[in-house]
Amino acid sequence: MRPGRYIGVMSGTSMDGVDVVLAAINDAVVAQQVSYSHPFPHALKTRILAVCQGQQTTLSEIGRLDYDLGTLFAQAVNGLLVKARLTPQDITGIGCHGQTVWHEPDSDTPFTMQIGDNNRVAALTNITTAGDFRRRDMAYGGQGAPLVPAFHQAVLGVPGEKRIILNIGGIANITTLIPGAPVRGYDTGPGNMLMDSWTWRHRAQPYDKDGAWAKSGQVHKKTAGSDASRPVFQPFSTEKYRT
C-alpha cells in the first residue's frame, strides 16, 4: 500500500450513522487523525431494513438504494474533509465497504451483497475509491466475514505472544493471534444490533448513546452461598418505556 492519508467509511449493521475516519498509513503505523459521524436518514434506513429482512423488493428499488447510499457515503466523506480542513488532493484513497443487505456464505451458491455505489462516492468526492471487500474471500472458499483479522494482525500482533481480540459491532467477532498458527477470525453471534433493537423498543431511540441508559441500571451481588463473589445482573424495570 502506498503511504498516505486514507479515508475509511462504514455504516455497519446498526445503521445509526455513517462513520468516517481519516488515517495516516505507512508500513510501520496506522494513525487515526480525524473522525466524523454523519447522520443516517431514518427513511433510508427503513428501506434498507426491508430488504435485509427479506421483504419482497424489485431490481429498481435495489438500484435506487445503491444510488442513494452512494450519495450518502459521499456526503459523509465530504463532511469529514470540511471538518479536517482538507481537500481531495490531500487524500490517497477511500475504502468504502458498503451496506450489507444479504450474506449467505453457507448455501450451495455462497454469496454476499453490499450496496452503496462507489462510483458515486468517487465522482462526488473526486477521490479514488475501493470497495467490494468480501466477495474475493468467498470466491476462494472463505466466509467473507469478519474482515478485521488482517488489521488486527498488522496493528495488534506481537511476536511470541498469544492474543485474542474481541470486536463488538452489529455482529460480534473474535480474532485469534497465536504464534506459529494461521490468523483466524469468526463471528460469535449478535452484538450491538440486539442492544439497539432493545433500546428502540423500550426507549424509541435508535441506540443507547454513550451507554447512558445502561449506566442507569444497578448491579446486585449475592451476599450468601458459594456464589457470593459472583455478580448477578438484574435489569431494572422497563415497563414505563414500553410502546
Side-chain angles (χ1 to χ4, degrees):
M1 176 183 288
R2 181 157 62 96
R5 285 173 164 166
Y6 291 85
I7 291 176
V9 185
M10 174 66 79
S11 50
T13 312
S14 64
M15 289 182 281
D16 52 25
V18 181
D19 295 323
V20 193
V21 172
L22 172 69
I25 301 176
N26 59 36
D27 291 337
V29 68
V30 176
Q32 178 180 316
Q33 296 185 323
V34 182
S35 63
Y36 169 67
S37 184
H38 190 78
F40 204 113
H42 182 71
L44 181 57
K45 178 177 179 177
T46 300
R47 289 166 59 202
I48 295 169
L49 285 175
V51 175
C52 296
Q53 293 168 356
Q55 296 183 24
Q56 188 173 16
T57 188
T58 64
L59 285 175
S60 176
E61 175 62 0
I62 295 296
R64 291 174 185 274
L65 284 173
D66 193 45
Y67 178 98
D68 290 344
L69 272 171
T71 302
L72 180 67
F73 294 151
Q75 291 170 347
V77 170
N78 288 329
L80 177 103
L81 292 177
V82 170
K83 179 179 179 179
R85 298 182 180 179
L86 296 172
T87 68
Q89 290 69 39
D90 296 316
I91 309 301
T92 304
I94 296 171
C96 187
H97 173 270
Q99 185 66 47
T100 300
V101 292
W102 203 263
H103 187 68
E104 196 171 312
D106 296 320
S107 69
D108 293 336
T109 54
F111 75 95
T112 187
M113 180 179 292
Q114 288 75 42
I115 59 175
D117 187 1
N118 283 315
N119 298 285
R120 284 199 59 74
V121 176
L124 295 176
T125 63
N126 199 30
I127 300 171
T128 299
T129 304
D132 196 13
F133 300 129
R134 298 186 186 274
R135 293 198 295 175
R136 185 70 173 269
D137 180 70
M138 294 188 71
Y140 282 97
Q143 297 244 323
L147 292 173
V148 75
F151 175 79
H152 286 159
Q153 180 187 30
V155 176
L156 300 174
V158 176
E161 182 173 311
K162 296 179 180 179
R163 289 189 169 186
I164 296 178
I165 294 92
L166 171 64
N167 174 56
I168 306 179
I171 300 294
N173 53 71
I174 67 169
T175 298
T176 61
L177 303 177
I178 309 297
V183 177
R184 299 185 183 277
Y186 50 87
D187 292 338
T188 59
N192 290 324
M193 61 186 299
L194 290 183
M195 291 186 282
D196 290 343
S197 177
W198 186 259
T199 302
W200 177 258
R201 177 178 178 181
H202 296 291
R203 301 299 299 272
Q205 296 174 355
Y207 63 100
D208 184 13
K209 183 174 177 150
D210 298 325
W213 188 36
K215 290 176 185 176
S216 67
Q218 294 181 343
V219 177
H220 298 273
K221 295 183 178 180
K222 289 185 178 181
T223 57
S226 59
D227 293 332
S229 62
R230 181 183 300 172
V232 178
F233 296 93
Q234 298 179 351
F236 57 90
S237 174
T238 57
E239 291 300 321
K240 64 180 178 181
Y241 300 115
R242 295 187 185 278
T243 58

